[in-house]
Amino acid sequence: MSLCSLRRHFFKHLSYTSTFFTHRIHHINSNICLPSRFSPPSSAITEARAQWRHSSITAMFSTSSSATPTTCSFASPYLSVHIRCRKDVADVLSEALLCFGASSTSMDEEDSYEPDDEVYITSIFSDCQDVDECISHAADSIGLKEMPTYEVMMGNQSDWIKKTQESFHPVEVTEGLWIVPEWRTPPDPQATNIILNPGLAFGTGEHPTTKLCLLLLHGLIKGGELFLDYGTGSGILAIAALKFGAALSVGFDVDPQAITSACQNASLNNIGPEQMQLHLVPSKSIPPFTDEMKCVGVEGKNSYGDAGGISETEKYDVVIANILLNPLLDLAEHIVSCAKPGAAVGVSGIISEQLPHIIERYSPFLEGISVSKIDDWACVSGTKKRNITGS
Amino acid sequence: MASLKEILTRRPVAATIRLTVPAGGARPAPPVGPALGQYRLNLMAFCKDFNARTQKYKPDTPMAVTITAFKDNTFEFTVKSPSVTWYLKKAAGIESGSSRPGHVVASTLTLKHIYEIAKEDG
């Protein structure tokens, strides 16, 4: 696919933000033990980003697996192992495999199995693990007398990525508004069609929270607004706002993958950098280094949002943050500070049981709070109070 | 015991998937990607759902997830707090269990540790 060349093409347009990104990441690098091979010239950024992302993933998993893969990269193949065992020990064996280093196990369901029958467990391991040792330990730990027979196959990341992409279909969010995957034709060429290739970022249009936010945006944008998509993911809300008539969309995200996806999607919809700007912002929540993070180039609450010197305070007519409960609680002041007084602020990515926390946290800043829901998901919106004490 | 209605409306199960995912940290990448992708499950939906529902746990705590994939590509999942093994390793302050269980002792735990783990695990 020509995605790679597309990405590189877009980096030329965003040379400003690329510099911002490397500067910020370099700061983080010096405080956290990430592999120091991260020093990107712009052509190596995509590969370096992949490595950076992967190191945070391995850092998360080093406490839960007995093998610590340090040299595997995100793009490397994985091992798919078919293990034969008896049905009645399959469940226990699956759990044991996870304890001893398997990334995941799965078992197909057939109705006609007797307990004595043999079944297959498909277990996925990362490329550099000792499969034999893991299976042997797992079998030992549940008291199996014999080592189960197994077969190892190589799997490619592209296998599951392709399958996932195949499951995207055009979605009509509301009358006249469609989200269409890049590789399908819009069912209604006259409608407002947002073309998407979400890649590995959030926001395909199918999720209830995306729909809630799109509906909210649809009602708020009258034409000419400045919109902030806080946690932009695939860029879907930023793009939608422009299609509805906003003058400028800005997207923040902590995930480099998201910025990449959003860039691509902007170009798929013929949106140029003068209409849509994307910024990678440092993540506050990389445990357990949160305290050190606060010291790295961040003086106070307002400067957290200073994207390379640009003040984001009180700049936007509409701000939407479709993320998760914890960042919404932590970053409430910052999210609201980006909005002009009287501007609309919407937050989502929360489930119904989390609503009281959000409403309590945002009540000091917002008035006219209303809640919309689809299934168990909710979106809270209001307008920023004109006189906020201590904001 | 399932009610008659439940039995009649039960969707055919395609597979049971187990994996460990850090609380609040599910991404459409390994290990979630390959495990769910092979059954064409909606990765984004799982990640968003899982992350939202595990906000109450300490970030990055490895959660044991069991996913039931149905033949129509929909799914349900349950999340369990970390396996006992994880707690034990954490309490003992070690990265991995003994490489030779029964022969080499990796670390020692006091009775107090066990009590604390039992309390937290519920």
Side-chain angles (χ1 to χ4, degrees):
Chain A
M1 278 194 90
S2 59
L3 281 177
C4 277
S5 54
L6 195 63
R7 265 183 227 156
R8 269 187 217 119
H9 166 78
F10 230 83
F11 280 128
K12 292 187 205 140
H13 284 280
L14 293 166
S15 53
Y16 166 74
T17 29
S18 301
T19 320
F20 163 72
F21 153 73
T22 58
H23 173 70
R24 288 289 180 167
I25 297 300
H26 211 64
H27 258 140
I28 298 170
N29 206 16
S30 59
N31 281 296
I32 303 176
C33 304
L34 289 175
S36 58
R37 59 192 159 194
F38 185 96
S39 52
S42 53
S43 58
I45 281 185
T46 16
E47 213 239 57
R49 277 179 180 172
Q51 285 178 352
W52 183 78
R53 272 194 76 238
H54 176 78
S55 354
S56 19
I57 294 172
T58 42
M60 287 177 210
F61 282 101
S62 59
T63 44
S64 65
S65 64
S66 54
T68 27
T70 45
T71 51
C72 301
S73 82
F74 177 85
S76 73
Y78 55 91
L79 300 172
S80 181
V81 184
H82 281 222
I83 304 167
R84 219 168 71 170
C85 71
R86 280 168 39 142
K87 162 95 173 156
D88 54 356
V89 300
D91 282 337
V92 200
L93 183 58
S94 297
E95 308 222 337
L97 284 165
L98 286 177
C99 286
F100 284 99
S103 305
S104 65
T105 64
S106 58
M107 202 163 64
D108 286 355
E109 187 85 8
E110 297 289 337
D111 296 323
S112 52
Y113 277 147
E114 301 293 321
D116 271 6
D117 280 353
E118 299 238 300
V119 300
Y120 282 97
I121 298 174
T122 305
S123 190
I124 294 180
F125 291 81
S126 51
D127 196 19
C128 40
Q129 279 186 295
D130 190 336
V131 174
D132 194 73
E133 192 184 9
C134 165
I135 296 179
S136 133
H137 280 152
D140 261 354
S141 76
I142 61 171
L144 283 186
K145 303 252 175 0
E146 289 170 347
M147 177 81 162
T149 52
Y150 64 93
E151 190 192 337
V152 182
M153 287 175 293
M154 286 290 253
N156 256 315
Q157 303 296 348
S158 56
D159 295 340
W160 62 267
I161 290 176
K162 220 187 308 171
K163 283 207 178 136
T164 309
Q165 288 182 331
E166 278 164 19
S167 62
F168 292 146
H169 298 275
V171 172
E172 186 173 27
V173 177
T174 179
E175 205 181 307
L177 174 64
W178 287 81
I179 317 290
V180 183
E182 184 191 0
W183 47 87
R184 301 204 195 273
T185 33
D188 179 2
Q190 307 301 329
T192 307
N193 292 311
I194 299 175
I195 315 294
L196 264 205
N197 179 354
L200 300 171
F202 292 118
T204 59
E206 300 167 311
H207 199 270
T209 55
T210 314
K211 285 187 192 164
L212 285 167
C213 293
L214 283 168
L215 291 169
L216 180 65
L217 255 186
H218 194 58
L220 288 172
I221 302 280
K222 311 287 177 220
E225 286 89 350
L226 265 66
F227 170 61
L228 176 61
D229 187 2
Y230 200 105
T232 190
S234 61
I236 185 174
L237 296 181
I239 295 169
L242 290 168
K243 298 240 172 190
F244 295 149
L248 172 72
S249 280
V250 175
F252 287 168
D253 209 293
V254 296
D255 181 4
Q257 190 75 55
I259 302 296
T260 310
S261 289
C263 289
Q264 279 177 16
N265 288 321
S267 82
L268 279 177
N269 290 277
N270 300 315
I271 291 169
E274 70 285 346
Q275 287 178 289
M276 186 153 139
Q277 295 165 6
L278 295 161
H279 299 294
L280 182 70
V281 295
S283 161
K284 220 175 93 168
S285 55
I286 302 179
F289 305 102
T290 329
D291 291 334
E292 285 154 41
M293 277 300 303
K294 282 197 191 125
C295 303
V296 175
V298 176
E299 281 89 49
K301 284 188 205 153
N302 277 339
S303 65
Y304 176 88
D306 273 4
I310 297 174
S311 170
E312 300 296 321
T313 318
E314 299 202 349
K315 186 175 165 189
Y316 297 96
D317 302 299
V318 180
V319 177
I320 294 192
N322 184 8
I323 36 186
L324 289 165
L325 175 71
N326 289 340
L328 284 174
L329 296 176
D330 292 339
L331 299 167
E333 277 87 7
H334 186 247
I335 293 169
V336 174
S337 76
C338 295
K340 292 179 186 163
V345 177
V347 302
S348 190
I350 49 183
I351 47 181
S352 300
E353 68 183 37
Q354 298 168 341
L355 266 175
H357 302 291
I358 292 287
I359 293 178
E360 188 190 339
R361 183 75 169 92
Y362 281 80
S363 290
F365 310 114
L366 303 181
E367 54 196 3
I369 291 182
S370 68
V371 177
S372 52
K373 282 196 200 179
I374 293 178
D375 298 336
D376 197 25
W377 298 94
C379 175
V380 177
S381 60
T383 48
K384 177 171 172 177
K385 290 182 182 171
R386 292 185 184 271
N387 294 312
I388 298 178
T389 47
S391 82
Chain B
M1 210 53 216
S3 70
L4 186 61
K5 181 172 178 223
E6 278 170 22
I7 295 172
L8 290 174
T9 53
R10 196 175 284 167
R11 288 170 282 177
V13 177
T16 303
I17 307 167
R18 285 183 176 84
L19 64 163
T20 312
V21 189
R27 315 197 59 83
V32 178
L36 275 68
Q38 60 177 306
Y39 294 99
R40 292 175 201 274
L41 303 182
N42 192 326
L43 291 183
M44 313 297 177
F46 170 74
C47 290
K48 191 99 180 180
D49 211 336
F50 173 85
N51 288 339
R53 291 183 196 285
T54 53
Q55 289 291 286
K56 57 188 167 214
Y57 294 98
K58 187 163 172 226
D60 293 333
T61 309
M63 309 296 296
V65 188
T66 303
I67 300 167
T68 305
F70 298 102
K71 294 207 162 106
D72 59 356
N73 295 343
T74 57
F75 61 89
E76 279 168 1
F77 67 91
T78 55
V79 174
K80 290 194 302 191
S81 58
S83 65
V84 178
T85 324
W86 185 80
Y87 276 123
L88 287 171
K89 284 182 199 166
K90 194 155 179 260
I94 53 174
E95 286 281 310
S96 68
S98 168
S99 53
R100 296 176 62 215
H103 297 272
V104 177
V105 175
S107 182
T108 43
L109 289 179
T110 63
L111 189 57
K112 182 165 188 294
H113 274 131
I114 310 283
Y115 173 70
E116 291 292 326
I117 292 170
K119 258 195 353 187
E120 201 176 319
D121 211 23

